[in-house]
Short mmCIF file of all heavy atoms in Angstrom, two decimals:
data_model
loop_
_atom_site.label_atom_id
_atom_site.label_comp_id
_atom_site.label_asym_id
_atom_site.label_seq_id
_atom_site.Cartn_x
_atom_site.Cartn_y
_atom_site.Cartn_z
N ARG A 70 -111.54 8.64 -99.28
CA ARG A 70 -112.35 7.50 -98.81
C ARG A 70 -113.04 7.79 -97.49
O ARG A 70 -114.15 7.33 -97.25
CB ARG A 70 -111.47 6.26 -98.66
CG ARG A 70 -111.18 5.59 -99.95
CD ARG A 70 -110.54 4.26 -99.67
NE ARG A 70 -110.22 3.59 -100.90
CZ ARG A 70 -109.38 2.59 -100.97
NH1 ARG A 70 -108.79 2.15 -99.87
NH2 ARG A 70 -109.13 2.00 -102.11
N ILE A 71 -112.37 8.55 -96.63
CA ILE A 71 -113.01 8.91 -95.35
C ILE A 71 -114.28 9.70 -95.63
O ILE A 71 -115.34 9.42 -95.08
CB ILE A 71 -112.04 9.73 -94.46
CG1 ILE A 71 -110.85 8.87 -94.03
CG2 ILE A 71 -112.79 10.26 -93.23
CD1 ILE A 71 -109.72 9.66 -93.39
N ARG A 72 -114.18 10.69 -96.51
CA ARG A 72 -115.36 11.51 -96.83
C ARG A 72 -116.44 10.66 -97.50
O ARG A 72 -117.63 10.84 -97.23
CB ARG A 72 -114.96 12.69 -97.71
CG ARG A 72 -114.08 13.66 -96.96
CD ARG A 72 -113.77 14.93 -97.72
NE ARG A 72 -112.76 15.72 -97.04
CZ ARG A 72 -112.89 16.30 -95.85
NH1 ARG A 72 -114.02 16.21 -95.21
NH2 ARG A 72 -111.91 16.98 -95.31
N SER A 73 -116.05 9.76 -98.34
CA SER A 73 -117.00 8.86 -98.99
C SER A 73 -117.68 7.95 -97.95
O SER A 73 -118.88 7.72 -98.01
CB SER A 73 -116.28 8.03 -100.04
OG SER A 73 -117.14 7.10 -100.61
N ARG A 74 -116.88 7.44 -97.00
CA ARG A 74 -117.44 6.58 -95.94
C ARG A 74 -118.48 7.35 -95.13
O ARG A 74 -119.56 6.85 -94.84
CB ARG A 74 -116.32 6.07 -95.02
CG ARG A 74 -116.80 5.18 -93.89
CD ARG A 74 -115.66 4.79 -92.96
NE ARG A 74 -114.62 4.05 -93.64
CZ ARG A 74 -114.64 2.73 -93.82
NH1 ARG A 74 -115.64 2.02 -93.35
NH2 ARG A 74 -113.65 2.13 -94.44
N VAL A 75 -118.16 8.59 -94.78
CA VAL A 75 -119.10 9.41 -94.00
C VAL A 75 -120.37 9.66 -94.80
O VAL A 75 -121.49 9.52 -94.29
CB VAL A 75 -118.43 10.74 -93.56
CG1 VAL A 75 -119.47 11.75 -93.10
CG2 VAL A 75 -117.39 10.47 -92.47
N LYS A 76 -120.22 10.00 -96.06
CA LYS A 76 -121.40 10.24 -96.91
C LYS A 76 -122.27 8.99 -96.98
O LYS A 76 -123.50 9.07 -96.88
CB LYS A 76 -120.94 10.66 -98.32
CG LYS A 76 -122.07 11.02 -99.24
CD LYS A 76 -121.53 11.49 -100.58
CE LYS A 76 -122.70 11.81 -101.51
NZ LYS A 76 -122.22 12.23 -102.82
N GLN A 77 -121.62 7.84 -97.13
CA GLN A 77 -122.37 6.59 -97.19
C GLN A 77 -123.07 6.30 -95.87
O GLN A 77 -124.24 5.91 -95.85
CB GLN A 77 -121.44 5.45 -97.56
CG GLN A 77 -122.15 4.13 -97.76
CD GLN A 77 -121.19 3.02 -98.14
OE1 GLN A 77 -120.00 3.09 -97.84
NE2 GLN A 77 -121.71 2.02 -98.80
N LEU A 78 -122.37 6.50 -94.75
CA LEU A 78 -122.97 6.22 -93.44
C LEU A 78 -124.14 7.14 -93.15
O LEU A 78 -125.09 6.74 -92.48
CB LEU A 78 -121.91 6.36 -92.34
CG LEU A 78 -120.90 5.23 -92.24
CD1 LEU A 78 -119.78 5.58 -91.27
CD2 LEU A 78 -121.57 3.92 -91.83
N LEU A 79 -124.09 8.37 -93.66
CA LEU A 79 -125.17 9.31 -93.42
C LEU A 79 -126.30 9.17 -94.43
O LEU A 79 -127.37 9.73 -94.23
CB LEU A 79 -124.63 10.75 -93.43
CG LEU A 79 -123.69 11.09 -92.28
CD1 LEU A 79 -123.13 12.50 -92.44
CD2 LEU A 79 -124.38 10.93 -90.93
N GLY A 80 -126.08 8.41 -95.48
CA GLY A 80 -127.11 8.22 -96.49
C GLY A 80 -127.94 6.98 -96.20
O GLY A 80 -127.78 6.30 -95.20
N LYS A 81 -128.85 6.69 -97.09
CA LYS A 81 -129.73 5.54 -96.91
C LYS A 81 -129.15 4.26 -97.51
O LYS A 81 -129.72 3.20 -97.34
CB LYS A 81 -131.08 5.84 -97.55
CG LYS A 81 -131.81 6.98 -96.86
CD LYS A 81 -133.23 7.09 -97.34
CE LYS A 81 -133.93 8.29 -96.79
NZ LYS A 81 -134.23 8.28 -95.42
N SER A 82 -128.01 4.36 -98.20
CA SER A 82 -127.45 3.18 -98.84
C SER A 82 -126.65 2.32 -97.88
O SER A 82 -126.30 1.19 -98.21
CB SER A 82 -126.58 3.58 -100.03
OG SER A 82 -125.49 4.36 -99.60
N ALA A 83 -126.34 2.83 -96.69
CA ALA A 83 -125.60 2.04 -95.70
C ALA A 83 -126.62 1.23 -94.89
O ALA A 83 -126.92 1.53 -93.74
CB ALA A 83 -124.77 2.93 -94.81
N TRP A 84 -127.16 0.20 -95.51
CA TRP A 84 -128.23 -0.57 -94.88
C TRP A 84 -127.80 -1.16 -93.54
O TRP A 84 -128.60 -1.35 -92.64
CB TRP A 84 -128.73 -1.67 -95.81
CG TRP A 84 -127.65 -2.64 -96.21
CD1 TRP A 84 -126.85 -2.56 -97.29
CD2 TRP A 84 -127.24 -3.79 -95.50
NE1 TRP A 84 -125.96 -3.59 -97.30
CE2 TRP A 84 -126.17 -4.37 -96.21
CE3 TRP A 84 -127.65 -4.41 -94.31
CZ2 TRP A 84 -125.52 -5.52 -95.79
CZ3 TRP A 84 -127.01 -5.56 -93.89
CH2 TRP A 84 -125.96 -6.10 -94.63
N ALA A 85 -126.50 -1.48 -93.39
CA ALA A 85 -126.01 -2.05 -92.13
C ALA A 85 -126.08 -1.05 -90.99
O ALA A 85 -126.00 -1.43 -89.83
CB ALA A 85 -124.58 -2.56 -92.30
N GLU A 86 -126.20 0.22 -91.31
CA GLU A 86 -126.28 1.26 -90.28
C GLU A 86 -127.58 2.06 -90.41
O GLU A 86 -127.60 3.25 -90.16
CB GLU A 86 -125.07 2.19 -90.36
CG GLU A 86 -123.81 1.58 -89.85
CD GLU A 86 -123.87 1.23 -88.35
OE1 GLU A 86 -124.66 1.83 -87.60
OE2 GLU A 86 -123.13 0.31 -87.96
#
Side-chain angles (χ1 to χ4, degrees):
R70 281 191 181 163
I71 295 168
R72 293 186 189 294
S73 175
R74 180 184 299 274
V75 165
K76 184 177 179 181
Q77 185 179 24
L78 286 170
L79 294 176
K81 295 190 186 290
S82 62
W84 60 268
E86 286 297 336

